[in-house]
Amino acid sequence: MTYRICFVCTGNICRSPMAESVFRARMSEAGLDGLVEVDSAGTGGWHEGDGADPRTVSVLEEHGYDGTHTARQFRSSWFSRLDLVIALDAGHLKALRLLAPTPEDASKVRLLRSYDPAAGDDLDVPDPYYGGLDGFEECLEMVEAASEGLLAEVREQAEGQVA
């Protein structure tokens, strides 16, 4: 049985594709390719069908990650097939929990930075869209830092489904 996770930001062209790419690489490094399916989406559909922001692609590729991506909008019907929905900021968390058809589905939604013990109380990954390249670098650092804690939880859950 495949464990399914979806990263969600606003337009699915900056933060969530970055998180998807980084986490997919972590899954591969951990040997969980066949056990875990990783994707991403946006709370809105403004960029559906577009590639990731060129700055996202640049930062990802510069750090050895895959920059290939096509934006899409998150749909409430997806909750039934997902095990975990990872929001990139508190606004996404709220929107996704309101979109969830059941309380069980709402409980699947978590903030990415809640998996980074060094994050403290600041659990939002800031939107780099209106800034410069340094904001995208900062976003990548936050995503990478949270990915280790998330990997530990997902590994436990995914391997538990197989056992």
Side-chain angles (χ1 to χ4, degrees), residues 111-120 123 141-142 144-147 149-150:
L111 281 167
L112 176 63
R113 291 197 71 210
S114 68
Y115 294 96
D116 178 3
L123 299 181
E141 289 172 15
M142 290 179 176
E144 287 177 329
S147 290
L150 179 57

Side-chain angles (χ1 to χ4, degrees), residues 11 19 22 30 58 73 81 121 145:
V22 169
S58 171
Q73 183 176 1
R81 68 173 178 81
D121 293 335

Side-chain angles (χ1 to χ4, degrees), residues 78-94:
W78 296 359
F79 275 105
S80 63
R81 68 173 178 81
L82 292 168
D83 297 289
L84 195 56
V85 180
I86 301 295
L88 277 289
D89 71 25
H92 307 132
L93 180 80
K94 182 178 180 181

Side-chain angles (χ1 to χ4, degrees), residues 48-118:
E48 264 189 312
D50 295 345
D53 184 289
R55 297 166 294 179
T56 299
V57 174
S58 171
V59 167
L60 283 171
E61 292 178 349
E62 179 182 321
H63 291 274
Y65 299 106
D66 182 13
T68 307
H69 175 73
T70 303
R72 62 197 187 130
Q73 183 176 1
F74 190 88
R75 308 278 185 231
S76 66
S77 61
W78 296 359
F79 275 105
S80 63
R81 68 173 178 81
L82 292 168
D83 297 289
L84 195 56
V85 180
I86 301 295
L88 277 289
D89 71 25
H92 307 132
L93 180 80
K94 182 178 180 181
L96 288 162
R97 286 187 173 162
L98 288 171
L99 191 62
T102 68
E104 293 78 23
D105 289 328
S107 72
K108 296 176 183 180
V109 184
R110 312 268 172 68
L111 281 167
L112 176 63
R113 291 197 71 210
S114 68
Y115 294 96
D116 178 3

Side-chain angles (χ1 to χ4, degrees), residues 139-154:
C139 179
L140 179 64
E141 289 172 15
M142 290 179 176
V143 166
E144 287 177 329
S147 290
E148 296 309 313
L150 179 57
L151 174 62
E153 179 174 313
V154 169

